[in-house]
Amino acid sequence: MPPSPLPSSGLIARQCYDFEDQKRRRRAMLCRSLEEILMSDTDFTLRDMATAEDYAVLFQVQMVLMFEWVEKLPEFCLLLDPLDKVVQSVHVIDIGINRLNHVLQTKLLRAFALRYLLLDNVFHTMELGYEDRIVLVNNNYMKPFEAPPLPQNDLTDEKRVELMMYGAEAQAMLDDLVIPMKRMALKVGEMMTLRMIMFWNPGNVGLTPSGIEIARTVGFNNAVKELHHYFEGEGVTDVEHRIGNLLLLLPAFTVSSVSPLPFFLYELLLIFLRIFILQKHVRYLYELVKLIPSFGKMNEWDSFMDVLLNGL
């Protein structure tokens, strides 16, 4: 466990500390026996070839951890709606604000759920050092074009899921995300920045104007500011280079075409172009999990999140 961050530490430094704790809890929650929990090397030991059921199990664990992470974002509690003024005029301020907050926050959480799963899986793969397979956070893995044999009586949707899991998309995920992450030795703090940027750029999910304003300005700007603070604490000097490569290395012609821009525009363009690439893989994941009947159902003790994430 790394040393506790100083009180003056920035948000990303605190998130890095929390991430180490969450990884230990995640491992324990995903272990299948007491023996596995007690083993010290389970973080690095591959298990079996992944199946569709792995996504259902990961969802149950990862959504709890995602919710804990999001709750610690300072801006998450700022999502108020202009209708608050109307609410105040009818003297139900607390109830109305809580209700409106809940609606906006729920939209962001639903939009972020699959992105969170994707980012954690590819970052975990990078941390383990693999370039030829995707390793899920439970250490089951998918090697492109090497699918496990399917039973003859397998259901059609299950066949489609496994073909998708082990097909060209798995290789594209390695090429677009894992290998560039590994080449640049992506830091945990940069991973946390990716999380924040993805969270605050949910796409068209029906946010109100005030919600969009908070997401685009307060949330996004704070992520970039906190990244600079994190780099200072880590002693990183090639900040412009790191940010230029943070979202996993755009093609050379794109980088050269934007390099004359002011640095803050360079940052924004790189970020949004890379988010577009990430979104391609999120859409693939969405199409995959739609075919898994058990996906999206929380454990009984976390059933409150079924309502929260209903409609994913």
Side-chain angles (χ1 to χ4, degrees):
M1 188 74 179
S4 300
L6 298 173
S8 59
S9 298
L11 175 63
I12 292 178
R14 296 194 301 273
Q15 288 181 340
C16 291
Y17 178 80
D18 291 342
F19 183 61
E20 293 303 314
D21 178 60
Q22 282 206 327
K23 282 201 299 185
R24 280 197 302 276
R25 291 174 54 217
R26 182 181 72 193
R27 180 177 69 83
M29 293 163 75
L30 289 169
C31 282
R32 297 169 294 191
S33 67
L34 178 60
E35 181 183 7
E36 276 193 1
I37 294 176
L38 296 176
M39 290 172 61
S40 60
D41 62 345
T42 51
D43 281 344
F44 309 102
T45 304
L46 296 187
R47 287 177 169 177
D48 306 306
M49 298 180 77
T51 67
E53 188 60 24
D54 283 308
Y55 280 106
V57 173
L58 293 182
F59 180 86
Q60 293 173 340
V61 170
Q62 290 285 73
M63 290 304 96
V64 175
L65 299 177
M66 178 195 77
F67 188 70
E68 292 177 359
W69 179 80
V70 169
E71 275 195 312
K72 294 182 179 180
L73 294 177
E75 301 82 12
F76 190 58
C77 297
L78 298 178
L79 293 171
L80 303 180
D81 191 279
L83 290 176
D84 293 342
K85 296 178 181 178
V86 177
V87 173
Q88 292 175 19
S89 69
V90 294
H91 307 292
V92 286
I93 297 175
D94 291 339
I95 296 174
I97 288 178
N98 287 337
R99 178 180 61 81
L100 292 166
N101 258 338
H102 176 73
V103 170
L104 296 173
Q105 291 169 340
T106 299
K107 288 177 179 178
L108 283 170
L109 287 168
R110 288 176 180 171
F112 185 54
L114 293 184
R115 303 175 186 202
Y116 185 94
L117 290 178
L118 172 66
L119 286 172
D120 263 26
N121 285 333
V122 296
F123 189 71
H124 182 65
T125 303
M126 184 219 73
E127 283 194 307
L128 295 183
Y130 287 98
E131 296 185 6
D132 66 339
R133 68 196 69 194
I134 300 294
V135 184
L136 305 178
V137 295
N138 64 353
N139 281 9
N140 287 347
Y141 62 91
M142 301 171 293
K143 201 168 184 179
F145 312 114
E146 295 187 15
L150 296 172
Q152 291 298 316
N153 61 349
D154 214 353
L155 299 176
T156 302
D157 280 353
E158 292 178 3
K159 288 182 180 179
R160 287 179 60 194
V161 168
E162 297 213 351
L163 287 173
M164 291 174 69
M165 289 173 62
Y166 288 88
E169 177 60 30
Q171 185 62 55
M173 203 178 298
L174 289 168
D175 294 338
D176 292 346
L177 301 175
V178 175
I179 293 174
M181 279 183 175
K182 190 168 180 285
R183 293 287 185 270
M184 69 176 287
L186 193 78
K187 298 175 180 292
V188 175
E190 292 169 314
M191 162 61 169
M192 295 298 108
T193 305
L194 281 174
R195 273 190 185 177
M196 286 194 285
I197 291 170
M198 292 294 284
F199 179 76
W200 290 114
N201 288 272
N204 184 17
V205 296
L207 291 181
T208 60
S210 66
I212 293 172
E213 182 66 16
I214 290 172
R216 286 182 177 175
T217 58
V218 180
F220 177 80
N221 290 345
N222 189 54
V224 175
K225 180 188 73 176
E226 289 290 345
L227 178 61
H228 282 278
H229 190 181
Y230 169 76
F231 280 151
E232 288 177 8
E234 291 290 302
V236 175
T237 56
D238 57 339
V239 173
E240 184 168 346
H241 176 74
R242 293 296 300 185
I243 291 181
N245 290 285
L246 171 60
L247 299 179
L248 315 178
L249 304 174
L250 292 172
F253 74 91
T254 305
V255 174
S256 62
S257 68
V258 300
S259 56
L261 293 173
F263 179 52
F264 76 96
L265 291 179
Y266 175 67
E267 282 182 330
L268 294 179
L269 185 55
L270 285 172
I271 286 169
F272 282 110
L273 284 172
R274 181 51 61 181
I275 285 173
F276 176 79
I277 292 176
L278 282 165
Q279 277 297 96
K280 177 185 73 172
H281 295 288
V282 173
R283 286 195 297 271
Y284 146 80
L285 186 56
Y286 175 72
E287 293 301 321
L288 188 152
V289 299
K290 280 198 308 185
L291 301 173
I292 304 174
S294 56
F295 183 86
K297 297 179 175 64
M298 298 297 294
N299 288 313
E300 183 178 352
W301 49 88
D302 295 317
S303 58
F304 76 96
M305 294 195 71
D306 278 327
V307 177
L308 187 67
L309 297 168
N310 185 35
L312 179 64

